[in-house]
Amino acid sequence: MKRLLHIALKDLMTWLRDPAALGVMLGMPVILILILGSAMGGLGGGEAGGGGIKVAIVDQDEPVADPARQELALGREITTMLVDNDELSSLFAIEISEDADEVRASVERGDLAAALIVPSGFSRSVNEGQPVELEVLRDPGADLSAGIWEGVVRSVAVELSRVSVIAQTAGRVAGEQGLPPEAVGAIVGKAVEQAAASEERAVRVEVRQAEREGEPFGPLDYYSLSMTAMFLLFGSMFGAFSLITERREQTMSRLLTTPTPRASFIGGKMLGIFLLGALQFGVLYAYTSGMMRVDWGGDPIATLSIGIAELAATAGLAVLIASIARTERGAGGLGPLVIQVMALLGGAFFPLTILPDWLQPVRYISVVGWALDGFQAVQTRGAGLVDVIPNIAALAGFAVVFFGIGVWRLKDAR
Amino acid sequence: MSGIVEVNGLTKLFGDLVAVDHVEFSIAQGEIFGLLGPNGAGKTTTISMISGLLEPTGGDVLVDGHSVRTEPRAVKRKLGVVPQEVALYPTLTARENLQFWGRMYGLRGKELSSAVDEALELAGLADRARERIEKYSGGMKRRINIAAGILHHPKVLLMDEPTVGIDPQSRNHILEQVKGLRGSGMTVLYTSHYMEEVEFLCDRVAIVDHGKVIAMGTLEELRKLVGDADIVRIGVDETLAEESLVAVRAVPGVIQAERADSVLEALAADGGGALAGIISALNAAGEKVHSAEVVEPNLESVFLHLTGKSLRD
């Protein structure tokens, strides 16, 4: 066991003296977080692009009879207005639901960026000129998308407020004066003018952040997590380099002529990768949370557990890459390729919600996907250790599979 | 009495290739034993099996009574290994390298510290112990490579061609270093294709070719295999024709003749007497003679006598 530890510490010392390794493991993620966090300001976590920002409308309103307009069903009108608008339909993927609780839960999970709930009695209140609220739910992890939806709903509310004022004014004047219908048009015109000048809003919008209070999350928060999830995986490349170099320079053969068991050698190499990654994780966590004020969420134990599980997968991937590549040059090609593909599929470069629904599960074939999903759950949805156990288990599964295949392929290596 | 190393019927096959073929020898405690043979003779494969790095296809090795097949870790605790390549970590200092290898052999604390100091002194590099290995010359790396194999005072030291590719000064230092181990009671198995090294160091020698031991004994015993024959060494062009070689073999008194690179070596009963005939034969064949010397019987002549070829082949 002591030999295992000494092998790991030797590797750690070697990497800490290698400027290239330090640059890739620490310098690059910090720079990319800054660049992506600034340049990709148009995107945030849990949001959508090409397939439409995922939002939902729950219409709980009941139509009311109105002598002048026959029937007033503002909830239905709002829904139609939003769904049938060509510009809006290219931006949003709108789901119509009757279950407000389910929609709230979807927003809390981050499955929906935002939602609009038209409350019961909405039409009646507007018709009577009573103050009334439209409820907008926002996923704090999808700040920008939710903000766009909120803006759209606010503009609808402004229009409805005007309608409300107009209806009240016209109805009141017509009723009081007993004027003929042609005179009502003039009165309505006056009412519209009054409505436009009015500072008051009959229909207000109440915004609720799902399960979280305080500052909303932005791109910097997202990319701090995603780049950390991606660059932790880069440890596998340096681990593979190290294993291959030990074979090429015959230090591995020499080690195996000492009383050091093969298992201690492989274990020591994996522990070295793990320690390097733990150091990297600690530095990135401290830097992003301390210097960039990134909020990693309220459960550091859950975040740490996800990180540890990802590092285990990273160490396993190192053995697998070393068993396939055989040369440093090969590992230098294969390692970054595997890592970049995993990062892409896992949503490290852009939120996967921009992809069509059927394509989004690709994250689950990626180590980065599972890690990022877990980090985000803690950050934006208040998840705790129990909630991220599936992520930890999946990452541990990757570790076992990678390590198993790698060791099997390396069983005769000297 | 059995030796501290007993090699019995050791065999290794790589597919159809027989790399080591029923090799047998015994090394006594404190002896420096040489394995002499050309490149590809099976020396490294033999050492790899003794050190537990390769599993034998057949046979066994006992080190201090422990079988490498059934008790490999017990065997490894008795051994120190100096590989043919410099197997060190270039970005670590000499001291850090030695500390690491010492730990791999189970040394800790003060025992490790004093062993490292001693090994650095032995290598003559105590004053440069804080420098990274990558800044060392080839010869200095070789010396640390050896120091890493002996710092834990193994009962048996396996050295696989430890002087390949280094300058004469470092080579002499290493040979003196190895010879000095005799006084410590360490048993050494030394492989080389340099006849001079084996003659300088070894008490007994096994000559190997094509995976087999073709002769074994003390230097005196091996020399007797060729009687009083001498080696006549002629400097020639590398383009020497096969017909010229046949002409040399036909010279009276010449037992065998082979060319390796630009050296023609002939085994002759009376070297001095055959020299003139050999030069005449080469001149008659239109070959240039660049140098000529007669060498007393040595392991080279033994190898030439036994295999019909030079050690340099």
Side-chain angles (χ1 to χ4, degrees), chain A residues 19 34 46 74 93 99 105 127 187 194 205 207 265 278 303 327 329 342 350 352 361 380 394:
Chain A
L34 284 172
L74 290 177
D99 189 341
N127 197 41
I187 296 167
Q194 221 179 324
V205 175
V207 178
F265 171 69
T303 301
T327 64
R329 197 172 176 180
M342 284 218 187
F350 53 82
L352 289 183
T380 63

Side-chain angles (χ1 to χ4, degrees), chain B residues 145-313:
Chain B
N145 200 38
I146 293 172
I150 61 176
L151 85 168
H152 61 296
H153 299 292
K155 277 197 157 186
V156 177
L157 179 64
L158 308 179
M159 304 186 83
D160 189 10
E161 309 232 23
T163 62
V164 169
I166 59 169
D167 60 279
Q169 190 184 350
S170 290
R171 189 180 180 190
N172 289 340
H173 186 279
I174 288 170
L175 293 178
E176 291 295 341
Q177 197 177 345
V178 176
K179 200 153 196 172
L181 295 174
R182 191 197 304 274
S184 68
M186 200 180 288
T187 304
V188 180
L189 172 57
Y190 190 97
T191 81
S192 180
H193 66 277
Y194 295 125
M195 177 264 307
E196 305 86 349
E197 289 185 5
V198 172
E199 284 189 334
F200 176 74
L201 287 174
C202 299
D203 303 309
R204 287 193 308 132
V205 179
I207 298 177
V208 291
D209 190 36
H210 292 305
K212 290 184 176 175
V213 174
I214 56 174
M216 184 161 54
T218 62
L219 294 177
E220 201 57 39
E221 287 166 347
L222 290 172
R223 282 180 191 135
K224 281 181 183 168
L225 292 174
V226 291
D228 292 330
D230 300 322
I231 284 194
V232 178
R233 190 172 290 153
I234 311 286
V236 293
D237 289 337
E238 289 190 20
T239 53
L240 184 91
E242 183 62 26
E243 294 77 25
S244 306
L245 203 55
V246 172
V248 170
R249 286 176 186 142
V251 171
V254 171
I255 302 166
Q256 272 172 346
E258 286 294 329
R259 182 191 62 82
D261 301 328
S262 59
V263 176
L264 185 153
E265 288 185 335
L267 191 66
D270 174 10
L275 180 61
I278 291 170
I279 291 174
S280 297
L282 288 171
N283 285 337
E287 301 286 354
K288 285 183 182 170
V289 174
H290 302 291
S291 62
E293 63 175 331
V294 177
V295 185
E296 292 289 306
N298 57 22
L299 292 177
E300 181 75 48
S301 46
V302 174
F303 192 79
L304 189 62
H305 173 70
L306 292 172
T307 66
K309 62 186 182 184
S310 167
L311 266 171
R312 294 166 223 230
D313 284 351

Side-chain angles (χ1 to χ4, degrees), chain A residues 2-4 6-7 10-11 13-14 17 246 249-262 265 269 414, chain B residues 51 53-54 73 76-77 81 83 85-92 96 100-101 103-106 108 132 145 148-149:
Chain A
K2 282 185 178 172
R3 288 186 174 92
L4 185 150
H6 288 305
I7 291 169
K10 179 266 298 173
D11 277 358
M13 194 190 300
T14 303
R17 290 177 182 179
E246 294 250 24
E249 296 192 344
Q250 300 192 14
T251 44
M252 177 178 174
S253 296
R254 186 171 205 165
L255 262 165
L256 295 177
T257 67
T258 72
T260 308
R262 181 179 287 262
F265 171 69
K269 301 301 290 182
R414 288 181 288 120
Chain B
S51 63
L53 198 56
L54 274 181
R73 286 197 74 189
K76 288 174 181 180
R77 275 192 277 269
V81 178
E85 300 297 324
V86 174
L88 300 169
Y89 298 100
T91 56
L92 301 187
E96 287 165 347
F100 175 76
W101 290 109
R103 288 184 182 115
M104 291 303 105
Y105 281 110
R108 301 282 183 273
R132 292 187 188 186
N145 200 38

Side-chain angles (χ1 to χ4, degrees), chain A residues 121-144:
Chain A
F122 182 78
S123 293
R124 189 183 65 248
S125 298
V126 170
N127 197 41
E128 292 171 357
Q130 302 296 319
V132 65
E133 290 180 345
L134 288 171
E135 184 180 359
V136 171
L137 297 170
R138 292 180 54 147
D139 170 17
D143 185 48
L144 184 78

Side-chain angles (χ1 to χ4, degrees), chain A residues 395-407:
Chain A
L395 291 167
F398 274 109
V400 170
V401 171
F402 290 159
F403 180 69
I405 297 172
V407 165

Side-chain angles (χ1 to χ4, degrees), chain B residues 107-121:
Chain B
L107 301 182
R108 301 282 183 273
K110 285 182 180 172
E111 188 187 14
L112 173 66
S113 182
S114 61
V116 168
D117 288 340
E118 188 186 335
L120 284 166
E121 287 292 340

